[in-house]
Amino acid sequence: MSNTPNANCEDCPVHNLGNLTKLGINMSQFDFVVALAGNPNTGKSTVFNALTGLRQHTGNWPGKTVTRAEGGFVYGNKRFKLVDLPGTYSLLSTSTDEEVARDFILFGQPDVTVIVVDATRLERNLNLVLQVLEITDRAVVCLNLMDEAKRHNIDVDARRLAKDLGVPVVAAAARQEEGIPDLLKYIYEVATGAYVCRPHRLERTAPRLEKAISELTAKIMNEFPNLPNSRWIALRLLEGDQKIIDAVKSGELENLSRNTTILSVA
C-alpha cells in the first residue's frame, strides 16, 4: 500500500464520461463520481445520507426497474457526485442488482468506489470487497457499524485491514456520523490521486485454470494494452459472462481501455 502523491494524476478524473452518460449519469456540474457499494443491511443508505445530506434525488437505472439514488457533496473545492448502487452480495451478474452494480464499476469507471461493510459480519462482506478490488484500483472501505461491533465485544483492527487490503479503511458509525470526516478525506485523496491504492488481489488458482487465465490475459493485454483489469476480464470470459463477451465483440472494452491510462499508472 502506498499513499505517495502521484503527480501524473493529481486532480484528474478517471471516470468514463461516455459510459456514464449511457448509464444516465449527468456529470456537467461535478468533478468526480463516487460509487457506493455494499451488502444489504450494512448501513449503506445511512452512509449515503451522511455524505450527501439533502442534496440527493432518486430515479431508475436506464432500462431497469432498479432504483438509483444520487447525491452530491463538496470537499476540498471539488464537487463529488455520489451514486448509490444496489445492495449486493457479489458482482457475478447473476441478478439485475448485481449486473447494475458490476456494470457501473466496470464501465462507468468511478473515480472512487466506497465499499460499506458491516463490522459485526466482516467475513461475509469481504467477498464483495475482494470482487470490487478485482475491477478497480480506486476504492475506500467504510467499516461501518463499529458501535454495534463494540457493543458485541468485536474488535476490528482497521489499520491492519487497510494494510492487508491495500486500500484505505475507515472505521465508522454512520448513524452518529462518526468516521464521516475521515471517509470524506480518503475519498478526496483517492479521487485526486494523492493516495495511490495497491489493492490485494488473489493471483493463484488451480494450475490448469491458472494456465488458461494467463494465456487469455496475455491475449487481452495484447488487444487492449491499457486495460487495468485484464485478469478479471479473462476470468469473466472463461465463466461465459455474456455481458463481457458482448463488450469484447462490440468494442465497448476498447472504449474502456482508451479511458484507463491514468488508472493504469496508479
Side-chain angles (χ1 to χ4, degrees):
M1 179 179 65
S2 170
N3 59 353
T4 303
N6 187 332
N8 291 326
C9 55
E10 184 73 25
D11 290 340
C12 297
V14 300
H15 58 257
N16 189 312
L17 186 58
N19 284 341
L20 287 176
T21 301
K22 291 178 184 177
L23 293 167
I25 305 296
N26 184 352
M27 291 296 295
S28 61
Q29 298 181 31
F30 296 90
D31 301 300
F32 299 103
V33 61
V34 179
L36 190 64
N39 288 182
N41 304 314
T42 57
K44 185 162 64 70
S45 295
T46 307
V47 173
F48 179 84
N49 292 333
L51 290 173
T52 63
L54 298 176
R55 298 178 298 277
Q56 55 182 263
H57 67 272
T58 60
N60 283 352
W61 292 89
K64 310 286 185 184
T65 57
V66 179
T67 301
R68 176 178 72 212
E70 295 180 23
F73 60 89
V74 176
Y75 188 89
N77 294 320
K78 296 296 181 182
R79 300 163 300 172
F80 293 81
K81 169 164 280 193
L82 184 65
V83 180
D84 189 14
L85 302 180
T88 62
Y89 293 102
S90 78
L91 297 178
L92 297 181
S93 193
T94 58
S95 70
T96 302
D97 285 356
E98 290 180 0
E99 181 182 343
V100 166
R102 192 277 305 272
D103 286 356
F104 187 82
I105 297 172
L106 177 63
F107 296 109
Q109 295 174 255
D111 300 290
V112 185
T113 298
V114 175
I115 315 158
V116 182
V117 301
D118 180 351
T120 70
R121 296 176 174 84
L122 189 56
E123 71 283 355
R124 298 182 186 180
N125 291 202
L126 284 177
N127 179 49
L128 179 65
V129 172
L130 292 175
Q131 288 185 30
V132 171
L133 295 183
E134 287 285 344
I135 300 177
T136 179
D137 288 338
R138 291 173 170 257
V140 177
V141 173
C142 177
L143 190 62
N144 195 30
L145 301 175
M146 286 293 286
D147 52 335
E148 290 293 320
K150 184 177 181 180
R151 191 164 65 86
H152 289 90
N153 296 316
I154 298 172
D155 184 26
V156 182
D157 188 339
R159 184 173 297 181
R160 174 62 184 273
L161 187 60
K163 182 177 180 181
D164 290 343
L165 293 175
V167 300
V169 174
V170 177
R175 282 175 296 192
Q176 291 78 37
E177 297 199 356
E178 294 177 7
I180 299 303
D182 285 338
L183 183 59
L184 286 166
K185 169 180 172 288
Y186 279 118
I187 290 173
Y188 175 85
E189 290 185 357
V190 172
T192 59
Y195 190 115
V196 181
C197 302
R198 305 292 184 194
H200 170 77
R201 288 173 175 166
L202 301 176
E203 296 293 344
R204 303 302 301 176
T205 57
R208 290 179 62 185
L209 177 58
E210 188 62 36
K211 183 175 183 294
I213 294 171
S214 297
E215 291 177 355
L216 188 52
T217 298
K219 292 180 180 180
I220 293 170
M221 291 179 66
N222 183 62
E223 191 71 23
F224 310 108
N226 290 322
L227 203 64
N229 41 32
S230 53
R231 180 182 172 84
W232 186 87
I233 296 293
L235 282 166
R236 299 288 79 78
L237 289 173
L238 289 170
E239 288 180 355
D241 189 315
Q242 193 58 50
K243 183 77 174 183
I244 302 301
I245 294 171
D246 292 343
V248 173
K249 290 181 178 179
S250 68
E252 192 172 4
L253 207 62
E254 173 64 24
N255 294 333
L256 179 66
S257 178
R258 290 196 189 106
N259 283 274
T260 54
T261 304
I262 295 173
L263 184 57
S264 297
V265 171

